[in-house]
Amino acid sequence: HLNNNWHLTSLIFEVFSEFEKYNQLIDLKNNNISFGSVYYIEKAKRYIAQNINKKITISEIANTLNITNQYLCNIFKQVTGSTLIKYINNIKLEKIKDFVINSGLTLKQAGEIVGINDENYISLMFRKYQGINISDLKKVDLRYIPTK
């Protein structure tokens, strides 16, 4: 009986997953977003994740994908609703935040891991992109952060 419930749950999940994919495809078509655009964006995101430890430029990503900078920026905004620079910076800031809170690294150490060596610039980025004052991040009591 337990095995049948698990099988039924698995099938229901699979149906909902396929339904969600179908809805996403409809959303893409309704917004005139091509599947090729989504492909390029996924490749760009993968490139960013693999190179998060260094300075990443739009030209570098576009060259890797063999498309123009302008086309990359346009489709990125169309597909994600965010600019490419904002996306890259937010990914870097999330990594920095994770290192500071969960690994006990200093802001400078965490910044260096993601290719940003200037603490003042990191502080400016946190205010600009996430509305966080960096001094608030430093005040987090690590004893109350759940371990992973």
Side-chain angles (χ1 to χ4, degrees):
H1 185 247
L2 190 59
N3 195 21
N4 286 340
N5 284 343
W6 181 85
H7 184 66
L8 182 59
T9 302
S10 178
L11 285 174
I12 291 170
F13 178 75
E14 195 173 317
V15 168
F16 278 117
S17 294
E18 290 302 314
F19 184 70
E20 181 61 29
K21 286 179 192 173
Y22 180 73
N23 279 338
Q24 289 171 351
L25 293 176
I26 290 172
D27 287 345
L28 290 175
K29 275 298 182 198
N30 288 343
N31 292 319
N32 292 322
I33 298 172
S34 73
F35 299 119
S37 295
V38 174
Y39 171 78
Y40 283 128
I41 299 315
E42 292 307 312
K43 296 274 283 183
K45 287 180 175 181
R46 191 171 314 121
Y47 181 88
I48 292 163
Q50 291 170 345
N51 292 281
I52 200 69
N53 62 327
K54 63 179 190 166
K55 181 178 177 171
I56 302 171
T57 66
I58 292 171
S59 294
E60 187 180 325
I61 299 168
N63 288 339
T64 301
L65 300 175
N66 293 315
I67 58 177
T68 67
N69 294 4
Q70 187 64 42
Y71 181 67
L72 174 59
C73 289
N74 288 343
I75 64 172
F76 198 92
K77 176 76 171 178
Q78 184 183 26
V79 171
T80 68
S82 173
T83 67
L84 184 52
I85 293 299
K86 185 175 182 177
Y87 176 82
I88 293 168
N89 286 334
N90 274 318
I91 294 295
K92 287 183 179 268
L93 293 175
E94 286 302 315
K95 291 278 188 195
I96 290 170
K97 199 176 351 175
D98 182 53
F99 287 131
V100 169
I101 293 171
N102 296 317
S103 299
L105 297 179
T106 65
L107 191 61
K108 182 168 178 50
Q109 291 168 328
E112 288 171 351
I113 292 172
V114 299
I116 305 172
N117 298 319
D118 184 345
E119 274 186 270
N120 291 327
Y121 182 66
I122 294 169
S123 182
L124 176 72
M125 287 177 57
F126 267 108
R127 275 195 305 278
K128 179 178 180 180
Y129 290 105
Q130 298 194 350
I132 297 172
N133 190 341
I134 204 64
S135 61
D136 293 339
L137 183 63
K138 290 178 180 179
K139 290 177 188 173
V140 172
D141 189 337
L142 297 176
R143 292 175 298 181
Y144 298 105
I145 304 294
T147 57
K148 292 183 179 179

